[in-house]
Amino acid sequence: MSESVSMDLIARDQRAVWHPYASAVETPALFPVRSAAGVRLALTDGRTLIDGMASWWCAIHGYNHPVLNQAVTAQLEDMSHVMFGGLTHQPAIELAELLCALTPESLERVFFSDSGSVAVEVALKMAIQYWQGRGQPRKQKMLALRNGYHGDTLGAMSVCDPVTGMHQLFSDALTTQFFAEAPQTPFGAVCPEHDLASVRTILEQSGDSIAAVIVEPVLQGAGGMRFYSADYLTKLKALCDTHGVLLVFDEIATGFGRTGKLFALEHANVTPDILCLGKALTGGYMTLAATLCTAEIAAGVCASEAGAFMHGPTFMANPLACATALASVRLLLSTSWKRNVTRLETQLRQGLEPARQLAQVADVRCLGATGVIELHNAVDMQQVQPMFVERGVWVRPFGKLVYVMPPYIMSDADTSTLTAAMVDVVRQL
Ligand SMILES: *Cc1c(COP(=O)(O)O)cnc(C)c1O
């Protein structure tokens, strides 16, 4: 592999391919990857990069893991896919049982889908059908938080932060939902009642038309990388109960250990009515998501006019993905993941701390295996992306946020290379 192979791939990509959140006219800087192993991406031009992004929260065990490779190959011998209408299979059953066993006891039923956004769509539709089944068909709106992120399909977008989610571009196409102020109480602090004032006001005034409140527990991800009080969730759950509104936790980013607990809801010991999982579910190998709910929600949905839940993706419970997810979750449980996440938190805190002194930096914060440098101004991606690559690391900032959520297996030496590169790049800006 060489420089010329890279140049050729980039030129062909730029003629035919469209990348996420990218222009197809002024094409972005691109780095073709030839392979990935452990925490390293090998570029076709011969360079290797330490991956700080875990491919957007997913690759928690690193790349090309022998256990996950083996799970894929073994499943391939049996079947890669069969439809899920009227058929079932062991990988889906075992995975559903495992997810129910790992999450709070009252979450008893699993609906599989193919991506996080769809898992959120499923959660919203479940909430609406539930209230139909319980004789309250007017409850169809959602209440979400400012700075939230729940995915890119239209339903999921409707509950994303209206500003960062660019709702004005799609105003006539998007369902209007209710938005409360984002939690202000920091992680680890007791949440004063006034932090929920706007949630409370909306529920008091419009609870009759609201099916569910949807939040990312403890860590608001792509809507601002904000960490907040777990106690907020306890108080939110009480408000939901008072006003007869369901609670949906979107743990697509936080699930499977990222915040230091297997699921972020464990920081608060709050059980939602509906829980969305995705991203790290398959260890970053394949796309798979799951929406879990309580027996009460399942019963309510099935008591609605349809008598069934009205959703069914073509690739629902794909056996390859389910088998890989089973292997990934079991692998996680068999390793000292908690110690690794705590170790990474300490390393990220120490490594990123020097950035706090820089004039361009507004805040430095870490929680679990997530480290964030927030700047005063948005970065120019075209300028900074090559700066990281030159330093041998893969970091993909957005807006004012330069952040990492590495694979849990990253060594201390690689983590310190990663954080040093982040501080150095930020210093140059
Ligand atoms: C990434 C993400 C989603 C969307 O998942 P996709 O697989 O990209 O559709 C939804 N919610 C949260 C919290 C996420 O981080």
Side-chain angles (χ1 to χ4, degrees):
M1 290 293 147
S2 67
E3 189 85 11
S4 68
V5 171
S6 270
M7 299 308 285
D8 176 56
L9 287 173
I10 292 167
R12 285 162 54 197
D13 180 294
Q14 295 192 331
R15 281 193 292 274
V17 185
W18 208 332
H19 285 265
Y21 293 97
S23 168
V25 181
E26 281 177 47
T27 48
L30 281 175
F31 302 91
V33 181
R34 187 179 63 80
S35 63
V39 302
R40 281 180 168 69
L41 307 175
L43 302 185
T44 52
D45 64 12
R47 292 184 287 184
T48 59
L49 307 177
I50 296 170
D51 179 21
M53 306 302 291
S55 284
W56 280 333
W57 314 85
C58 297
I60 52 177
H61 308 294
Y63 301 92
N64 218 333
H65 197 289
V67 171
L68 302 188
N69 290 1
Q70 170 57 29
V72 178
T73 334
Q75 182 56 43
L76 208 46
E77 300 283 325
D78 290 339
M79 61 186 159
S80 57
H81 185 66
V82 291
M83 65 185 279
F84 212 52
L87 299 176
T88 193
H89 46 78
Q90 194 161 335
I93 296 164
E94 280 186 22
L95 180 60
E97 287 173 346
L98 182 58
L99 295 178
C100 290
L102 294 175
T103 52
E105 212 181 328
S106 56
L107 296 171
E108 294 185 3
R109 187 66 67 172
V110 182
F111 191 96
F112 289 111
S113 58
D114 23 34
S115 75
S117 300
V118 177
V120 169
E121 300 283 346
V122 164
L124 305 184
K125 288 173 70 175
M126 271 182 185
I128 292 169
Q129 272 198 267
Y130 170 77
W131 288 113
Q132 278 169 13
R134 292 290 176 247
Q136 299 212 52
R138 278 197 57 227
K139 288 168 85 72
Q140 302 223 352
K141 291 289 180 191
M142 304 296 153
L143 169 55
L145 299 180
R146 301 258 166 192
N147 290 105
Y149 177 78
H150 300 287
D152 286 355
T153 54
L154 283 169
M157 264 186 86
S158 76
V159 287
C160 291
D161 181 272
V163 178
T164 56
M166 297 223 167
H167 282 193
Q168 84 282 0
L169 298 179
F170 303 93
S171 51
D172 285 350
L174 278 185
T175 310
T176 52
Q177 310 284 20
F178 292 98
F179 287 92
E181 296 308 321
Q184 299 301 316
T185 312
F187 182 79
V190 174
C191 182
E193 289 292 339
H194 66 76
D195 205 11
L196 291 106
S198 95
V199 171
R200 189 178 305 107
T201 306
I202 294 168
L203 288 177
E204 278 166 6
Q205 290 174 353
S206 312
D208 298 353
S209 62
I210 296 175
V213 174
I214 181 168
V215 302
E216 299 152 274
V218 170
L219 191 167
Q220 292 189 297
M225 299 299 293
R226 300 173 76 255
F227 313 139
Y228 67 92
S229 165
D231 185 38
Y232 180 97
L233 300 169
T234 309
K235 297 193 160 104
L236 179 62
K237 172 67 178 151
L239 273 179
C240 286
D241 289 346
T242 305
H243 293 277
V245 165
L246 302 182
L247 181 59
V248 179
F249 280 173
D250 176 350
E251 290 229 30
I252 292 165
T254 52
F256 305 103
R258 183 58 65 180
T259 67
K261 302 276 189 189
L262 193 57
F263 298 101
L265 56 79
E266 294 169 26
H267 289 290
N269 260 320
V270 169
T271 302
D273 300 286
I274 301 175
L275 173 68
C276 300
L277 302 174
K279 288 204 161 101
L281 177 57
T282 66
Y285 265 52
M286 261 167 255
T287 177
L288 181 70
T291 307
L292 282 71
C293 71
T294 62
E296 165 62 13
I297 299 302
V301 166
C302 300
S304 69
E305 195 189 325
F309 181 49
M310 298 311 286
H311 204 93
T314 305
F315 281 95
M316 184 164 178
N318 173 255
L320 269 181
C322 287
T324 313
L326 258 179
S328 175
V329 178
R330 286 175 178 156
L331 176 64
L332 183 69
L333 298 174
S334 75
T335 58
S336 43
W337 66 268
K338 212 171 226 176
R339 200 174 334 128
N340 265 335
V341 170
T342 311
R343 177 183 59 84
L344 277 170
E345 177 166 349
T346 309
Q347 286 267 306
L348 292 170
R349 269 185 208 288
Q350 285 170 359
L352 297 180
E353 189 55 29
R356 206 182 287 282
Q357 316 307 325
L358 304 172
Q360 54 273 54
V361 171
D363 189 29
V364 176
R365 52 186 181 266
C366 299
L367 177 66
T370 310
V372 184
I373 303 176
E374 180 165 346
L375 307 173
H376 290 294
N377 300 306
V379 299
D380 172 356
M381 189 83 90
Q382 295 292 65
Q383 180 205 357
V384 303
Q385 192 77 87
M387 292 169 73
F388 286 112
V389 173
E390 279 158 26
R391 286 160 181 78
V393 303
W394 182 245
V395 179
R396 177 88 177 157
F398 72 82
K400 299 172 181 175
L401 302 163
V402 178
Y403 68 108
V404 287
M405 54 298 209
Y408 303 162
I409 59 158
M410 188 173 285
S411 70
D412 290 354
D414 285 343
T415 312
S416 91
T417 305
L418 178 65
T419 53
M422 290 168 74
V423 174
D424 189 37
V425 167
V426 167
R427 187 178 285 120
Q428 312 294 319
L429 297 177

